[in-house]
């Protein structure tokens, strides 16, 4: 597989065609996602909103290649994910995706910096780990272990870990859920900047409707279906957010 | 309220079942260890009891002597006098002499036969025989004899066969009346010194008393076998009997425990008994350790659940009972299954063992119900699990709910000591850094793994040491000590002139011939005495190798006597001490000049001249050691029979076979032990390694979502395990060595002595095996990790 292509803003980077994901729970079929079709262009900053259980995490997992759809087709940068074997998916995650989990999933034996470096090692041209930590405001705590960091700080390490690989697509599941207002804004600014300067595509899941204002595009999910897909003509700067 | 509680209780049990099912591989592995420990214990404990009772029953039925006194010769009437000693239940007087016996068959074959007289018309009061086939003597039969079973089996002798006994070159024919088992020859030993003797060159036959008298031309008795009344003091009786027999020159007094066959059986049985204790004990310790590890980790991983349970209103007792149940289930399942298996196995062992020894009577000591009733196996299996379980279960019940629900912080949050000491380690690649950190992340968990591996290694090493010891034993006996290819033994009553050696050396077939004179003596030093053989050798004997305890080749000298290592303790002597040698023909005092290695038996070694002094100064020999050209090995026997006094010709290759057969048995047992050791190591390593991997599944899943390949993750796990393996090897090897030393002491006696040698290949085997075990035991864990549903696992909460 070739490395991540930067391409032009406006290219379709991510295409979901009639994607469904259901879970068979004994007799009952839980439909987490139903017939979702989406075209996402490079450089878009997308906020995904929706109540709990509406399928947000499922959508991110499918795009991130750690889950596969029951039906439908997902194409990323011209690569069809369902055609990839395990090795191919690993490569794909390594080179295309930066994940920020709802639960931070840091490696407890590694310091903040090492957690970031650990991800950096996986790609050929990573960003400087310390620099990325500075972006999330954690340069000072770089040599601390996760157990010595607060929940919000751990979350920021998780974000830095996603950024350091410099992936074309960032998938963030509630990245600001644990953060206070100021830090949250700071992180969102950092993401917005990465999106704008480096032309990264960002999918950000949140419960917080207000955050939708900073996005180029807001997608609303309800019971596994897209109920709204609107463009923001004038996204605001995260610093101007109020919630 | 009550109803609610019952419901909760119900759910708790469901959780127990679910948790057990979720880690069934682990629970099975730990249960298997307990099962094996209990089964092993039951089998060996009951097997030991059965063998003991079978021996006792055989001895009782056949009236095996409490002690035996040998004299030069005494008149038959002495028996009545001895019987009148208070406390004596019965006395049998008999003639016991070694004669040359010729076997039937196309090719002449001679063996040295121990000819023992039995009453012609009745059974002996002491040391009876069990007729296995044919019949006991009947009146007016003439020249008949009974053949001892081991000997008969080896040569395929049966009733009606004709054998010849030779006395003073006079051959007399005998007809075999029956095959008998004797309590004195259950273990086919010629003497205490020769407990691994081949029936190829040595045999035992029983001949009617009157025929023996006729054959030897002497109406005498030279052996008295005593049965002592219950409660009577044997030592007093022996003293009294010795007093009465004094005029006939007492040669030897052999109490039952020193009787060669019985002593060999006891040594064997005691060794078995010790193993029967040590091995199951190790299993149960390891089982307890594994239970403890497993439970500690379960409690650790379920902290949030425990917190939740407590927050919801479960009592401390409920939590305690819940977690203790895991351990008790392991213990109960393992113990019950082990008790049953152990019982069944003990019957099998008893049958195999008594069958192999040809024990005339077998007696099963305990039936299954009796076994269950004493419940030792059950108790032994459940107790260690209960002890191992109570600690983590107690800890779980003491957790404060709020604390438990907070995600645990397993890391100390400090740079590992190792990296603080060796800063370069910080710059290692993550492939090495992560495994290293993991080891120090949870030191207690790593310690368990290391202990488990150390145990496994020591078990494997001990078993390997047994195998090595047997090989080195064989090597010493047959390549270093017995350097001759054949030995001619002359009849005790027909010694040959020393000059015969020169004559035989001139035979075409013979490269070298060396004379040997072996005399039964009693060695005395201060209050200790020991009956054995003194071997007279030429000054620079090449065919009988003597090696000092430090391994140097030494030779006999006129300055004194060399003793086998085993006698140092038996006689409490040291170099420079003076020893008294008593033979029926004379007494001699010699200085102990040194000690030598002797795997089989414990002799004294002197010059031929010194030995001849002990028989009255006659220049005689009773054996010739030969170095024979290989192509003549077949014909040398026949040629040697041409010498009139030849009682038997022993080919080293043949006796080697017999010893090898015996040793093969011990070797087989050692291999079984090794397999058990390896299985034990596998169980404990599997438990710790799997627990280790499972605890980090979320972390590993995260690495995979970052784009780490499976292979690199496998490599990290393997590196971590191998590093822990190294950590276990370091204490494991000395531990195994110490254990081997301990066990070897049990097998050390004047009859047989092993040296603790561990060949380098055994260390390699042990280390190789443990690495293999480590790699194999991580396979299930890694397979699990590789099949993880990343989407699901990354959603799990808690670090
Ligand atoms: N492994 C699974 N098995 C069964 N059902 C699942 C599984 N994963 C998710 N679901 C179901 O699919 C639906 C969507 O789940 P998803 O995790 O995507 O929700 P979400 O929008 O991320 O919710 P939240 O905001 O609470 O994180 C839910 O109803 C959930 O119960
Ligand atoms: Mg979610």
């Amino acid at each position: 597989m070739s490395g991540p292509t930067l391409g032009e803003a406006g290219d379709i980077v991510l295409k979901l065609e009639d994607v469904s994901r259901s879970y068979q729970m004994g007799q009952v079929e839980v439909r987490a996602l139903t017939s979702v079709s989406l075209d996402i262009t490079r450089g878009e900053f997308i906020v995904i909103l929706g109540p709990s259980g509406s399928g947000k995490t499922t959508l991110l997992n499918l795009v991130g290649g750690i889950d596969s759809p029951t039906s439908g087709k997902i194409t990323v940068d011209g690569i069809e994910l369902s055609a990839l074997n395990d090795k191919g998916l690993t490569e794909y995650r390594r080179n295309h995706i930066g994940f920020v989990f709802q639960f931070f999933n840091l490696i407890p034996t590694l310091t903040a910096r090492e957690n970031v470096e650990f991800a950096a090692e996986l790609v050929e041209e990573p960003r400087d780990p310390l620099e990325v930590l500075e972006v999330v405001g954690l340069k000072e705590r770089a040599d601390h272990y996760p157990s010595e960091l607060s929940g919000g700080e751990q979350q920021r390490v998780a974000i830095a870990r996603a950024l350091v690989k410099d992936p074309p697509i960032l998938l963030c599941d509630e990245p600001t859920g644990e953060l206070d207002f100021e830090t949250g804004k700071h992180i969102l600014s950092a993401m917005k900047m990465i999106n704008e300067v480096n032309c990264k595509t960002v999918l950000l899941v949140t419960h917080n409707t207000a955050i939708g204002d900073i996005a180029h595009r807001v997608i609303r999910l309800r019971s596994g279906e897209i109920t709204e897909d609107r463009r923001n003509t004038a996204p605001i700067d995260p610093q101007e957010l109020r919630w | 309220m009550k109803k609610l509680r019952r419901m909760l209780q119900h759910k708790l049990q469901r959780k127990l079942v679910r948790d057990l099912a979720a880690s069934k591989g682990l629970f099975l592995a730990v249960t298997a260890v307990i099962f094996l420990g209990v089964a092993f214990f039951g089998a060996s404990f009951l097997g030991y009891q059965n063998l003991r009772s079978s021996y006792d029953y055989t001895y009782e039925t056949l009236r095996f002597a409490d002690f035996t006194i040998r004299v030069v010769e005494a008149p038959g009437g002495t028996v009545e006098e001895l019987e009148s000693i208070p406390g004596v239940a019965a006395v049998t007087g008999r003639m016991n002499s070694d004669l040359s016996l010729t076997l039937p068959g196309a090719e002449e074959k001679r063996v040295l036969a121990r000819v023992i007289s039995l009453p012609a018309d009745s059974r002996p009061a002491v040391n009876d025989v069990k007729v296995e086939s044919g019949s006991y003597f009947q009146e007016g039969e003439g020249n008949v004899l009974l053949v001892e079973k081991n000997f008969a089996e080896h040569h395929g002798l049966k009733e009606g066969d004709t054998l010849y006994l030779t006395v003073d070159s006079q051959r007399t024919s005998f007809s075999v009346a029956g095959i008998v088992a004797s309590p004195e020859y259950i273990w086919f030993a010629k003497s205490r010194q020769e407990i691994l003797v081949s029936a190829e060159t040595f045999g035992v036959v029983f001949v009617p008393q009157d025929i023996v008298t006729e054959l030897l031309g002497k109406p005498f008795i030279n052996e008295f076998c005593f049965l002592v009344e219950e409660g009577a003091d044997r030592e007093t009786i022996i003293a009294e009997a010795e007093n009465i027999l004094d005029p006939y020159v007492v040669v030897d007094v052999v109490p039952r425990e020193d009787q060669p066959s019985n002593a060999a059986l006891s040594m064997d049985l005691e060794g078995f008994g010790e193993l029967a204790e040590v091995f199951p004990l190790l299993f149960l310790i390891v089982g307890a350790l594994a239970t403890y590890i497993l439970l500690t980790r379960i409690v650790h991983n379920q902290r949030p659940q425990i917190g939740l349970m407590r927050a919801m209103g479960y009592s401390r007792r409920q939590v305690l009972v819940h977690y203790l149940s895991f351990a008790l289930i392991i213990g109960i399942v393992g113990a019950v299954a082990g008790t049953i298996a152990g019982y069944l196995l003990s019957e099998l062992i008893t049958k195999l063992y008594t069958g192999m020894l040809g024990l005339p009577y077998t007696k099963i000591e305990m039936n299954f119900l009796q076994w269950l009733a004493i419940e030792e196996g059950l108790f032994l299996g459940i107790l260690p699990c209960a002890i191992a379980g109570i600690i983590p279960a107690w800890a779980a019940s003491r957790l404060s709910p709020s604390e438990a629900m907070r995600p645990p912080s397993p890391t100390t949050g400090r740079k590992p000591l190792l990296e603080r000491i060796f800063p370069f380690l910080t710059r290692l690649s993550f492939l090495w850094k992560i495994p290293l950190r993991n080891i120090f992340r949870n030191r207690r968990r790593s310690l368990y793994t290391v202990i488990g591996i150390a145990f496994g290694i020591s078990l494997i090493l001990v078993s390997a040491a047994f195998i090595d010891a047997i090989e080195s034993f064989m090597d010493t006996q047959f390549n270093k000590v017995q350097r001759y290819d054949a030995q001619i033994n002359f009849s005790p009553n027909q010694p040959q002139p020393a000059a015969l050696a020169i004559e035989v050396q001139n035979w075409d077939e013979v490269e070298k011939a060396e004379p040997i004179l072996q005399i039964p003596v009693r060695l005395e030093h201060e209050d200790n005495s020991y009956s054995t053989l003194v071997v007279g050798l030429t000054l620079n004997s090449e065919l009988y190798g003597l090696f000092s305890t430090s391994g140097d080749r030494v030779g006999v000298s006129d300055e004194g006597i060399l003793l086998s290592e085993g006698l140092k303790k038996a006689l409490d002597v040291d170099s420079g001490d003076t020893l008294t040698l008593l033979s029926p023909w004379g007494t001699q005092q010699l200085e102990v000049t040194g000690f030598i290695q002797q795997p089989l038996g414990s002799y004294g070694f002197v010059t031929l001249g010194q030995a001849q002094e002990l028989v009255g100064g006659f220049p005689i020999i009773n054996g010739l050691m030969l170095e024979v050209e290989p192509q003549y090995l077949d014909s040398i026997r026949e040629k040697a029979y041409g010498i009139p006094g030849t009682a038997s010709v022993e080919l080293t290759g043949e006796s080697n076979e017999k010893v090898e057969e015996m040793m093969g048995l011990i070797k087989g047992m050692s291999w079984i032990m090794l397999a058990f050791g390896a299985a034990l190591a596998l169980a404990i390593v599997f438990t710790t390694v799997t627990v280790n991997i499972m605890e980090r599944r979320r972390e590993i899943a995260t690495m995979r979502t970052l784009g780490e390949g499976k292979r690199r993750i496998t490599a990290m796990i393997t590196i971590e395990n191998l590093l822990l393996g190294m950590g276990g090897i370091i204490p494991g090897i000395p531990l195994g060595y110490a254990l081997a030393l301990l066990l070897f002491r049990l097998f050390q006696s004047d009859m047989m002595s092993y040296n603790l040698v561990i060949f380098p290949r055994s260390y390699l085997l042990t280390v190789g095996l443990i690495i293999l075990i480590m790699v194999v035991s991580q396979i299930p864990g890694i397979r699990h990790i590789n099949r993880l549903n990343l989407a699901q696992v990354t959603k799990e909460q808690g670090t």
Side-chain angles (χ1 to χ4, degrees), chain A residues 170-230:
Chain A
L170 268 176
L171 304 173
C172 313
D173 204 347
E174 299 274 11
T176 54
E178 301 266 334
L179 304 180
D180 61 280
F181 176 58
E182 279 306 320
T183 322
K185 277 205 302 197
H186 185 69
I187 291 291
L188 290 174
S189 297
M191 290 194 159
K192 200 68 201 294
M193 195 174 74
I194 287 154
N195 162 252
E196 279 161 9
V197 177
N198 302 332
C199 199
K200 305 286 174 198
T201 312
V202 177
L203 271 74
L204 193 152
V205 163
T206 181
H207 283 113
N208 192 337
T209 331
I211 294 177
D213 294 345
I214 67 166
H216 296 133
R217 186 174 168 191
V218 177
I219 293 168
R220 215 175 259 280
L221 284 176
R222 171 167 233 110
S223 309
E225 287 178 68
I226 297 180
T227 54
E228 187 189 341
D229 185 350
R230 74 177 153 86

Side-chain angles (χ1 to χ4, degrees), chain B residues 670-698:
Chain B
S670 305
W671 280 108
I672 293 174
M673 244 168 76
L674 195 135
F676 271 109
L680 199 56
L682 182 69
I684 183 101
V685 173
F686 170 75
T687 308
T688 48
V689 164
T690 309
V691 162
N692 234 338
I693 295 174
M694 295 312 227
E695 275 182 15
R696 294 207 306 272
R697 55 205 292 269
R698 195 166 90 103

Side-chain angles (χ1 to χ4, degrees), chain B residues 7 16 41 88 108 132 142 174 185 229 251 259 268 273 318 432 447 481 532 577 580 605 647 701 711 753 780 795:
Chain B
M7 215 173 73
L16 181 69
F41 171 77
V88 169
E108 183 178 354
E132 300 266 332
F174 282 83
Y185 294 94
E229 272 171 10
V251 179
Q259 197 273 338
D268 194 56
Q318 280 175 309
W432 289 90
L447 186 69
V481 176
T532 181
D577 290 348
T580 308
F605 296 88
R711 205 167 315 149
S753 82
K795 270 197 280 191

